[in-house]
Amino acid sequence: MFNTGNHLHLTFAIPGILYPEKSPSQLDHAQLTRTFAINTIGPLLLMKHFTPFLPTKATKLPKEPEPGLPPYAVWLTMSARVGSTTDNQLGGWFSYRASKAGVTSVSKSLDLWLRGKSGDNAMAMAYHPGTVKTGLSKEFWGSVAKEKLFTPEYAVEKMVGVVRNIELEQRGRCWDWRGVEVLP
Ligand SMILES: NC(=O)c1ccc[n+]([C@@H]2O[C@H](COP(=O)([O-])OP(=O)(O)OC[C@H]3O[C@@H](n4cnc5c(N)ncnc54)[C@H](OP(=O)(O)O)[C@@H]3O)[C@@H](O)[C@H]2O)c1
């Protein structure tokens, strides 16, 4: 079926919400449940329903990829630098950080599964877009230097650029808008 080239080439699993708790006293069961449901379980269910449309090992991909596309299918799940345990210097944002750490973890698991199912025909990665001027970050626009607060258009341009240039040896890990790895 997918030898025709009619398979997913690029997939962006984007959902995310943020309740910016500063201390454990602010943790709320309903908000915690909602955060994990959207940020971590959301991408997992997208994987469940859409990975059947990725190329398998048997799929014959064209020798020359379509202009602007990488030579393999790429599944990107939106993580965030604050999901990095290594990078966590400030604390806070308990639920968001943990839900995004989960995203980086499930991206790795998906990539390991794809190695078996798709070989080099499909890979998964997690991504950090920088700080982007959207509703999610609105409360913090004032505390970010102007040049570090990206427009959504610029963020998308950067994201597509990273995905287009991603190499197979980079698979399964989290990359930022500059193409620099975000450690788990
Ligand atoms: N903005 C930043 O600075 C920043 C930094 C790092 C990471 N991120 C991540 O980037 C991603 C996009 O966020 P954004 O900044 O573009 O914020 P946004 O404009 O608020 O977008 C949030 C996204 O999540 C989806 N979503 C929210 N609730 C949902 C639900 N119940 N079911 C399904 N989808 C739902 C929205 O879908 P609809 O459009 O259909 O509502 C939208 O695509 C998120 O994963 C976020 O964590 C953002």
Side-chain angles (χ1 to χ4, degrees):
M1 171 186 178
F2 296 133
N3 283 330
T4 57
N6 295 327
H7 55 76
L8 281 178
H9 290 258
L10 298 181
T11 312
F12 298 93
I14 299 288
I17 59 165
L18 164 66
Y19 293 106
E21 312 100 353
K22 289 187 177 138
S23 72
S25 64
Q26 293 174 332
L27 295 172
D28 172 84
H29 187 275
Q31 291 181 351
L32 290 167
T33 308
R34 191 169 155 75
T35 300
F36 280 93
I38 293 169
N39 294 12
T40 318
I41 298 173
L44 280 166
L45 293 177
L46 288 170
M47 289 171 194
K48 171 176 175 166
H49 293 292
F50 288 96
T51 51
F53 301 106
L54 287 171
T56 66
K57 275 181 181 166
T59 307
K60 299 260 180 298
L61 297 188
K63 284 200 177 67
E64 288 297 319
E66 298 282 329
L69 287 178
Y72 24 75
V74 179
W75 183 290
L76 176 151
T77 310
M78 192 63 94
S79 188
R81 187 180 305 285
V82 297
S84 164
T85 305
T86 311
D87 192 69
N88 186 357
Q89 308 292 328
L90 292 175
W93 295 18
F94 290 82
S95 58
Y96 187 75
R97 282 184 191 277
S99 69
K100 292 297 189 180
V103 166
T104 303
S105 170
V106 300
S107 300
K108 173 79 181 182
S109 296
L110 175 63
D111 187 67
L112 290 168
W113 182 78
L114 285 173
R115 284 171 193 243
K117 180 92 179 158
S118 307
D120 288 350
N121 284 345
M123 60 169 272
M125 59 176 284
Y127 185 72
H128 168 65
T131 306
V132 188
K133 201 170 181 183
T134 63
L136 181 137
S137 63
K138 194 163 189 176
E139 237 181 279
F140 313 101
W141 291 354
S143 55
V144 181
K146 210 176 162 192
E147 67 280 6
K148 290 195 171 161
L149 185 60
F150 300 157
T151 63
E153 292 78 9
Y154 181 79
V156 169
E157 206 179 289
K158 286 287 166 189
M159 180 171 72
V160 172
V162 169
V163 166
R164 277 181 177 156
N165 293 306
I166 198 89
E167 304 279 350
L168 272 174
E169 55 268 28
Q170 294 176 278
R171 63 189 301 168
R173 294 183 271 157
C174 184
W175 301 93
D176 77 4
W177 58 279
R178 298 164 301 178
V180 175
E181 184 171 10
V182 179
L183 293 173

